[in-house]
Amino acid sequence: MSSTAQASQAFNKILSQPKLSSKARTAQEIEEGVKRLRRLILVEGVPSQEDATLRPRIWKILLRVDDLSADKYLSFVARGPSDFRDKIRNDTFRTLATDRGFKERVREDMLVRLLDAFVWRNQERPHATFDFTYVQGMNVLAAPFLYTMPSEVEAFFCFSRFIEQCCPLYVQPTLDGVHRGLKLLDRCLKIVDPELFAYLRSKKLSAEIYAFPSVLTLCACTPPLDQVLKLWDFLLAYGVHLNVLCVIAQLLLMRDEVMACPSPMRLLRTLPPLEALPVIGIAVTLVRDLPAELYEELVRHPFEAINQR
């Protein structure tokens, strides 16, 4: 049996024992199963080519999504264009525009429909901690869910849970979480590689200037898409805050070229093709180099407003 087949078998064993998809499962069974899933994602990676059903099943479990009411989704869709339709359409046509596989699987109307439905959904949540409409970057954050999930309904509920629970501050009108993430990137880089940080600063380059797209989209803007999905397996398992360290990891992988370039923004404007495994490996090691207080701030920045503390 090949290693990928063995990994697929290991994932399927966890997914079925205990039955994480069963509504009769206990909280302890869920947590134990999720812990094993996280460990396997880090050690083996999700062998999606061996079993195409694995990634959608795993993402739904990691996001705790079990309410998949097609009627509810269709009721939002039936309302037609939201007040943000023009803004949505201004972004959706260029979503992952250079990825042929994405364009073949995900039509623009699917993206538009999902994003409109998300706006309608959140007009029914008057007592929610955060208000949600449509903001820049949401189209790219929705794209992996529509590409991965077997149905638009599943993509909608996974995307909604992801936005509302994992990174609500990234999609506020001020993009507060994104800007905080960029500031944290600078602070983390200064600790893990002070020489690279100083060189970039000598060129008047802060993370706000060179890393905004990567932080805003959780690296989904950097092809190829199959590597983005592997990176997202990791982020969904361990927390989207780690994307900041994944961006630093990409910088470290191209460190020599950056340090030798008199105009490094030329290199940083378009990052090299994403390689998920080395990026994840470096990001995990960087965690150990950060002071506990800074790491705690990093953990909380996508979802906890400063005035909530």
Side-chain angles (χ1 to χ4, degrees):
M1 186 183 292
S2 69
S3 59
T4 54
Q6 287 178 327
S8 178
Q9 192 176 68
F11 273 105
N12 275 303
K13 187 175 180 181
I14 293 173
L15 290 170
S16 61
Q17 296 179 353
K19 289 189 179 298
L20 287 175
S21 58
S22 166
K23 290 195 175 182
R25 67 199 185 281
T26 66
Q28 186 175 356
E29 284 176 333
I30 294 173
E31 289 311 312
E32 284 303 314
V34 168
K35 279 182 187 176
R36 292 202 297 274
L37 270 182
R38 286 179 178 139
R39 199 173 305 121
L40 205 53
I41 287 168
L42 190 58
V43 173
E44 298 285 351
V46 177
S48 57
Q49 290 183 321
E50 184 75 25
D51 182 349
T53 72
L54 276 177
R55 179 167 283 129
R57 289 155 65 201
I58 289 167
W59 282 19
K60 282 185 284 189
I61 287 165
L62 293 173
L63 288 166
R64 309 293 205 275
V65 170
D66 52 20
D67 176 14
L68 296 166
S69 170
D71 288 343
K72 189 180 290 185
Y73 178 58
L74 291 173
S75 73
F76 296 137
V77 171
R79 298 185 186 185
S82 70
D83 294 340
F84 292 83
R85 168 61 70 87
D86 289 345
K87 193 174 180 182
I88 289 170
R89 286 295 299 272
N90 194 46
D91 291 340
T92 51
F93 77 93
R94 55 185 173 216
T95 305
L96 305 188
T98 60
D99 192 291
R100 192 170 179 177
F102 176 78
K103 288 297 183 183
E104 287 174 356
R105 188 181 299 187
V106 180
R107 301 186 313 275
E108 185 185 358
D109 64 287
M110 295 164 66
L111 255 178
V112 172
R113 200 159 42 236
L114 182 147
L115 293 167
D116 268 334
F118 179 78
V119 173
W120 287 123
R121 164 189 167 92
N122 279 281
Q123 288 187 0
E124 290 188 352
R125 302 172 71 242
H127 303 299
T129 305
F130 297 102
D131 293 325
F132 298 99
T133 56
Y134 173 80
V135 299
Q136 175 190 7
M138 269 190 182
N139 57 311
V140 183
L141 294 176
F145 293 106
L146 280 167
Y147 184 85
T148 298
M149 292 296 154
S151 72
E152 202 174 305
V153 172
E154 290 164 279
F156 171 75
F157 285 105
C158 287
F159 169 74
S160 298
R161 176 62 60 88
F162 175 71
I163 292 295
E164 292 160 9
Q165 300 293 325
C166 299
C167 55
L169 289 177
Y170 273 51
V171 294
Q172 295 303 298
T174 58
L175 302 180
D176 183 48
V178 177
H179 293 298
R180 285 166 62 187
L182 290 162
K183 288 183 174 66
L184 284 162
L185 196 158
D186 277 330
R187 290 167 61 192
C188 292
L189 181 61
K190 187 175 183 179
I191 289 170
V192 302
D193 195 330
E195 186 182 10
L196 177 59
F197 173 80
Y199 182 69
L200 290 172
R201 275 302 169 96
S202 75
K203 301 296 181 179
K204 296 183 168 49
L205 291 177
S206 66
E208 283 274 358
I209 296 170
Y210 66 80
F212 182 82
S214 296
V215 173
L216 173 71
T217 67
L218 304 178
C219 291
C221 62
T222 305
L225 182 55
D226 68 311
Q227 296 298 305
V228 170
L229 298 180
K230 288 180 182 180
L231 186 67
W232 276 39
D233 293 337
F234 169 67
L235 296 178
L236 290 175
Y238 290 94
V240 299
H241 64 281
L242 288 167
N243 180 60
V244 169
L245 300 185
C246 289
V247 178
I248 291 177
Q250 290 173 78
L251 289 176
L252 296 180
L253 286 169
M254 56 188 297
R255 183 184 192 279
D256 291 345
E257 293 89 336
V258 171
M259 293 292 289
C261 184
S263 302
M265 189 60 198
R266 185 166 49 83
L267 295 174
L268 298 174
R269 190 172 287 113
T270 304
L271 294 178
L274 184 65
E275 294 181 80
L277 289 183
V279 165
I280 291 167
I282 293 170
V284 169
T285 63
L286 292 178
V287 172
R288 298 196 295 263
D289 296 332
L290 298 179
E293 190 175 311
L294 177 57
Y295 184 70
E296 183 65 21
E297 196 174 337
L298 188 66
V299 169
R300 295 178 179 276
H301 88 273
F303 59 83
E304 187 175 283
I306 291 172
N307 60 11
Q308 286 181 280
R309 294 182 185 179

